[in-house]
Amino acid sequence: EERLVESGGLVVQPGGSLRISCDASGFTFDDHAMHWVRQAPGKGLEWVALITWDGTGTYFADSVRGRFTISRDNSKSSLFLHMDTLRSADTALYYCARDRYSTTWGAFDLWGQGTMVTVSS
Amino acid sequence: EIVMTQSPATLSLSPGQRAALSCRASQSIGSNLAWYQQRPGQSPRLLIYGASIRATGIPARFSGSGSETEFTLTISILQSEDFAVYYCQHYDNWRLTFGGGTKVEIK
């Protein structure tokens, strides 16, 4: 079975840092670009970041560029999001999502269950 | 940034009825559009990509149409499990954006 399992979500103080992870199984991880998408409580979906299959291409939403970094370890089928200078507006459920393509971007055909990040003092 | 606008915000219908959800892009995106379903307490699920191609395992009652700036998701005969929130998303460039969602609720 193809699965994505996120972990690492915590309560963090404003200005703090956090790294969340996503472990993939049941498919060839490096055949796909990967994304992080977030959803604030009671709100809609917001795309956060994208990384190509080999990690050479990374792209970010304006709201997180310069504060967040996306990376992957294909040997461990894992995806990461490192978040710095966290703000209350970053409070959300963070989903890991698989792209249909490897070197470009497209629709997200597999989603994890999400990990909750809360930024609060 | 391409802005995706969905309408209506809420659609109140009965099981067995037909649902038509609209999504408009602020500029032409060709057929680079996907639709997702999110049931309460669940992760989103891909329904349609390429504006009209059903994803694996998606029932035939779901269909997508449109191109350029105007798109429609149609659910031909609503089942109880179809009452959920639906999002459109463009992927015409790397600045991927979602619409605000349409909630399909039981009337």
Side-chain angles (χ1 to χ4, degrees):
Chain A
E1 179 191 3
E2 299 178 330
R3 289 187 72 191
L4 296 170
V5 178
E6 302 91 336
S7 61
L10 289 173
V11 178
V12 185
Q13 289 193 337
S17 298
L18 185 66
R19 188 180 85 157
I20 57 176
S21 303
C22 170
D23 292 324
S25 59
F27 65 95
T28 304
F29 186 65
D30 56 10
D31 274 352
H32 298 270
M34 296 295 296
H35 301 261
W36 287 100
V37 177
R38 68 185 180 184
Q39 186 169 34
K43 302 297 184 181
L45 301 172
E46 179 188 15
W47 172 77
V48 173
L50 152 68
I51 186 166
T52 55
W53 73 276
D54 58 357
T56 60
T58 60
Y59 304 83
F60 298 91
D62 290 346
S63 58
V64 307
R65 187 175 300 112
R67 300 188 298 123
F68 288 15
T69 303
I70 186 172
S71 61
R72 63 192 294 163
D73 183 340
N74 286 344
S75 69
K76 296 181 179 179
S77 296
S78 294
L79 176 72
F80 307 100
L81 185 69
H82 184 85
M83 302 177 284
D84 286 324
T85 319
L86 282 161
R87 308 165 179 166
S88 57
D90 296 318
T91 294
L93 185 63
Y94 284 73
Y95 293 105
C96 165
R98 185 181 74 180
D99 199 294
R100 294 185 63 250
Y101 300 118
S102 60
T103 58
T104 183
W105 43 85
F108 310 156
D109 64 355
L110 182 67
W111 296 67
Q113 86 291 346
T115 188
M116 188 67 200
V117 174
T118 303
V119 183
S120 174
S121 55
Chain B
E1 175 183 288
I2 298 173
V3 176
M4 306 301 292
T5 303
Q6 291 187 243
S7 61
T10 304
L11 198 53
S12 298
L13 296 168
S14 300
Q17 285 192 295
R18 178 187 183 93
L21 287 63
S22 176
C23 175
R24 175 176 292 177
S26 61
Q27 65 188 67
S28 177
I29 58 170
S31 295
N32 295 318
L33 183 100
W35 290 95
Y36 302 88
Q37 176 194 65
Q38 188 175 33
R39 295 170 174 152
Q42 295 188 14
S43 303
R45 174 174 71 141
L46 177 65
L47 298 176
I48 301 285
Y49 64 93
S52 62
I53 304 168
R54 273 192 302 278
T56 302
I58 301 304
R61 65 180 181 273
F62 291 92
S63 62
S65 62
S67 65
E68 308 301 335
T69 61
E70 300 283 344
F71 301 88
T72 301
L73 174 70
T74 301
I75 311 171
S76 58
I77 302 173
L78 278 167
Q79 307 290 318
S80 57
E81 62 266 31
D82 300 336
F83 291 92
V85 179
Y86 293 83
Y87 296 94
C88 63
Q89 174 232 335
H90 92 82
Y91 48 92
D92 193 58
N93 59 48
W94 64 264
R95 293 182 183 271
L96 309 169
T97 53
F98 291 88
T102 291
K103 182 179 181 180
V104 178
E105 65 176 22
I106 299 176
K107 186 174 182 179

